[in-house]
Amino acid sequence: MTSTVPALGTRTAEGSALQAVLLDMDGTLVDTEGFWWDVEVEVFAALGHTLDDSWRHVVVGGPMTRSAGFLIEATGAAITLAELAVLLNDGFEERIGRALPLMPGAARLLAELHEHAIPTALVSASHRRIIDRVLTVLGPHHFDLSVAGDEVSRTKPFPDPYLMAAARLGADPSRCAVVEDTATGVAAAEAAGCRVVAVPSVAPITPAAGRTVVPSLEAVDLAFLRGLMTEMR
């Protein structure tokens, strides 16, 4: 989903250095990181292979080309990357059609950003077909635009998706707050020069310069995100 965004000065609260908020999707706004692993386990079981649970930390948060490619190599499954991508997307779409739980605090944060007219983008490594399904639950009106993993030549952990989102919003990446749940997403946001809030889902993430780690989205609100920019001054 894309839309025309009004001039930045009309969208950002007076006196605030926060220009935009860029949000990851799986594991950050919707509780779906486990869904992906469950689907991967089911698909490979049908192919006659058992996935090692330790691989979950390898594939979490990354683009499908990386995660699926790793699993094909690790198992030796007789399937192409393109064929596997279709099976994984089909399985995931079927699963979120049954239930799509939001992460604690997600609905409140989205409503607050929308109420205060903060330019907001959804930035995910998931494919467009999946993002559009999830947007029907999150509410497309909460986002000025979205960037999918199959719409950039290099997705996370490269900075390209976040740089694209910031550019489309007319925002300086250093004045964008990014909320992510995986080390892969954090790496992408930091490489883009954004301020990062990490809300770890599957694997722990350590605090670092320019990065704040919180236990859940319940700890994140607009005042908190604006405070990240204040620390830069």
Side-chain angles (χ1 to χ4, degrees):
M1 184 193 85
T2 58
S3 65
T4 302
V5 181
L8 196 60
T10 68
R11 297 298 307 275
T12 306
E14 184 178 356
S16 171
L18 177 67
Q19 293 184 351
V21 176
L22 315 178
L23 301 165
D24 175 54
M25 188 177 76
D26 294 301
T28 299
L29 294 177
V30 289
D31 191 6
T32 50
E33 287 293 9
F35 285 14
W36 280 113
W37 178 248
D38 291 344
V39 170
E40 287 160 349
V41 169
E42 291 172 3
V43 167
F44 276 89
L47 295 172
H49 299 275
T50 300
L51 301 188
D52 190 312
D53 196 61
S54 65
W55 296 342
R56 181 174 182 176
H57 297 290
V58 178
V59 301
V60 67
M64 185 172 291
T65 51
R66 189 194 73 183
S67 58
F70 168 83
L71 293 174
I72 289 173
E73 183 176 354
T75 61
I79 190 171
T80 68
L81 185 60
E83 291 169 339
L84 180 57
V86 171
L87 293 177
L88 293 177
N89 276 321
D90 285 348
F92 186 79
E93 195 165 359
E94 187 276 331
R95 188 167 291 258
I96 63 176
R98 286 186 264 144
L100 185 56
L102 300 188
M103 297 298 286
R108 173 199 47 77
L109 178 60
L110 290 174
E112 184 179 17
L113 295 175
H114 182 68
E115 178 184 357
H116 291 272
I118 303 299
T120 302
L122 187 64
V123 183
S124 175
S126 290
H127 289 186
R128 169 56 58 189
R129 60 179 283 196
I130 300 299
I131 287 181
D132 286 345
R133 283 293 301 273
V134 175
L135 277 171
T136 64
V137 175
L138 291 176
H141 63 283
H142 286 126
F143 303 95
D144 295 288
L145 58 89
S146 57
V147 177
D150 55 344
E151 295 173 340
V152 289
S153 58
R154 302 187 307 172
T155 188
K156 305 172 187 180
F158 294 100
D160 305 35
Y162 283 112
L163 292 174
M164 177 183 290
R168 288 181 177 177
L169 291 173
D172 180 344
S174 69
R175 296 296 178 182
C176 293
V178 169
V179 185
E180 273 280 0
D181 73 303
T182 67
T184 299
V186 167
E190 290 180 344
C194 304
R195 299 287 288 189
V196 179
V197 179
V199 190
S201 60
V202 175
I205 299 173
T206 57
R211 178 196 311 166
T212 303
V213 181
V214 297
S216 82
L217 284 183
E218 297 283 13
V220 181
D221 58 16
L222 182 53
F224 178 91
L225 296 174
R226 284 177 171 157
L228 298 178
M229 302 299 128
T230 303
E231 294 171 8
M232 298 173 58
R233 296 174 182 172

